[in-house]
């Protein structure tokens, strides 16, 4: 499905088969000099076909097209390697690029080790990994990337885009702001119909803290229309940011309440949180959903830990958390 959002700015809806996200929004700016495609889809046949059909309909020649990818996740980045031509520039952020440079898949080993320490059952770990779309449908080789820094600007046709770094959903996530048109291409930083997933798989990071700071950072932008990476475009920009902040405060309080029952690891905490999923019990959750849920529980646990609301207990490598006696609210 193709929609002209603004003059020369189009949205192609790329299907994500089997994913609860359903589809990804790829934005195409048609310009006399070079076209720009923002985000691409997974590296799989269904995405490639939808993209090619859309570009054909728009008369976009990939030889005259560059790319901007908001973040490293496979549903945004995975297909770009199949679309680039010899003349394409792929714009990307430094921190996510460093993850690719560090060897890509080697990062999975550290994640798996951390998931094990967080109580994720050993036998389910490999299954979770092999079902992970980032593992199955990631880019085959990373194309040459041109790094853009926070605050840098570039022009495409009538659009002058400003890069806004918004760490949280990933370490280097970047949005594109067009101040004259009052639009924000927000990737997975702000979504309207679903809550962006904030995950943590490391003791060195505190992505929820980063995410909330990034929400505050973009709150002051004048935005009439937000163009997110998934689902519907929206106009109630500041209201949505406030909703997301409220959501995470409530989630953090929920985690504190769960921990009120005694020391627990992240997997146990996740199993008692409320999830927006049809399965009636945690035991019946698909493994991939348990993975995302545990990652999200860890993001809230790390946030509460850094705020001094909870602390680690237990022995050895296993990570177990307890509530600080005087912690009441997040
Ligand atoms: Zn994402």
């Amino acid at each position: 499905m193709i929609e002209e959002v603004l003059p020369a700015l189009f949205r192609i809806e790329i299907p994500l088969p089997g994913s609860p996200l359903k589809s990804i929004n790829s934005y195409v700016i048609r310009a006399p000099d070079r076209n720009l495609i923002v985000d691409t889809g997974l590296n799989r046949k269904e995405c490639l076909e939808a993209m090619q059909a859309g570009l054909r309909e728009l008369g976009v020649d990939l030889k005259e097209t560059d790319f901007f990818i908001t973040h490293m996740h496979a549903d945004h980045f995975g297909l770009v390697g199949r679309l680039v031509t010899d003349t394409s520039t792929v714009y990307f952020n430094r921190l996510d690029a460093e993850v690719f440079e560090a060897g890509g898949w080697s990062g999975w080993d550290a994640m798996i080790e951390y998931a094990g320490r967080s109580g994720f059952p050993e036998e389910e770990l490999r299954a979770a990994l092999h079902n992970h779309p980032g593992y199955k449908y990631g880019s085959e080789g990373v194309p040459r990337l041109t790094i853009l820094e926070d605050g840098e600007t570039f022009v495409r046709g009538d659009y002058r885009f400003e890069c806004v770094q918004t760490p949280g959903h990933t370490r280097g996530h970047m949005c594109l702001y067009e101040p004259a048109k009052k639009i924000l291409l927000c990737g997975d930083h702000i979504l309207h119909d679903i809550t962006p997933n904030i995950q943590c798989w490391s003791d060195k990071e505190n992505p929820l803290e980063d995410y909330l700071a990034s929400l505050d950072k973009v709150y002051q932008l004048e935005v009439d229309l937000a163009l997110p990476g998934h689902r519907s475009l929206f106009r109630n920009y500041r209201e949505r940011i406030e909703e997301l902040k409220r959501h995470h405060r409530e989630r953090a309080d929920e985690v504190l309440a769960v921990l009120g029952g005694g020391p627990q690891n992240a997997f146990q905490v996740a199993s008692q949180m409320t999830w927006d999923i049809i399965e009636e019990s945690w035991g019946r959750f698909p493994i991939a959903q348990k993975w995302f849920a545990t990652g999200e529980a860890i993001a809230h646990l790390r946030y509460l830990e850094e705020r001094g609301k909870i602390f680690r207990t237990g022995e050895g490598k296993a990570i177990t958390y307890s509530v600080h006696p005087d912690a009441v609210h997040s």
Side-chain angles (χ1 to χ4, degrees), residues 71 73 75-76 169 188:
H71 64 293
H73 285 159
D75 50 339
H76 298 251
H169 180 69
D188 284 357

Side-chain angles (χ1 to χ4, degrees), residues 206 208-209 248-249 251-257 259-260 300-313 320-330:
N206 186 356
L208 182 56
E209 181 83 46
H248 286 293
R249 267 200 309 274
R251 286 305 246 177
D253 284 343
E254 188 182 8
V255 167
L256 277 180
L259 279 182
H300 286 82
L301 289 162
R302 288 279 305 120
Y303 174 81
L304 290 166
E305 183 183 26
E306 292 292 321
R307 301 219 145 203
K309 304 285 182 189
I310 63 173
F311 62 98
R312 286 171 193 233
T313 50
T320 307
Y321 288 102
S322 298
V323 184
H324 218 275
D326 51 4
V328 185
H329 292 294
S330 56

Side-chain angles (χ1 to χ4, degrees), residues 21 70-76 169-170 173 187-188 197 230:
L21 295 168
T70 55
H71 64 293
M72 61 175 284
H73 285 159
D75 50 339
H76 298 251
H169 180 69
T170 65
H173 189 287
D188 284 357
N197 183 252
H230 303 278

